[in-house]
Amino acid sequence: VQLQASGGGLVQAGGSLRLSCAASSVFVIDALGWYRQAPGKQRELVATITIGGGRDYADSVKGRFTISRDNAKSTAYLRMNSLKPEDTAVYYCYARLDMAGGMRDYWGQGTQVTVSS
């Protein structure tokens, strides 16, 4: 699978950004989404969306972030509103593939999101 992330940057607290995660694979892309990792912390789930539209969010982003998906383009979008300094992290594009032996998870390159106070 190839995963291409884009859309990170620097924004002031309260601002918005939109991330894109474009996937390419010969297998069915069951889910797309984002994980993030802040300095000194473990990587954590931000949001995922399944091919059927099921969504999962970290509690810390519920009500502020919205994930959507264009299945025709195999691309997921993360709209991030009301950003906070604690959202600062490297955001990693994620895909779960439906392969012959079962589901497998992949992470692509990260994109830096920095929220200034």
Side-chain angles (χ1 to χ4, degrees), residues 13-105:
S16 299
L17 283 174
R18 191 180 83 152
L19 305 182
S20 298
C21 171
S24 176
S25 176
V26 296
F27 298 100
V28 172
I29 302 171
D30 181 72
L32 287 171
W34 296 92
Y35 281 67
R36 69 185 179 186
Q37 187 167 19
K41 295 187 176 182
Q42 291 187 330
R43 190 175 296 187
E44 63 176 0
L45 168 75
V46 178
T48 59
I49 184 167
T50 68
I51 194 170
R55 294 171 172 83
D56 190 21
Y57 294 97
D59 288 342
S60 60
V61 308
K62 285 179 181 177
R64 299 187 298 122
F65 292 8
T66 302
I67 191 167
S68 60
R69 176 171 176 165
D70 184 333
N71 286 331
K73 296 180 179 179
S74 297
T75 299
Y77 305 96
L78 184 68
R79 179 67 179 180
M80 304 186 293
N81 295 328
S82 302
L83 282 161
K84 304 175 181 180
E86 50 264 44
D87 294 317
T88 295
V90 177
Y91 283 68
Y92 293 92
C93 185
Y94 160 82
R96 182 171 67 226
L97 301 187
D98 187 354
M99 304 175 76
M103 297 291 185
R104 289 192 64 180
D105 297 326

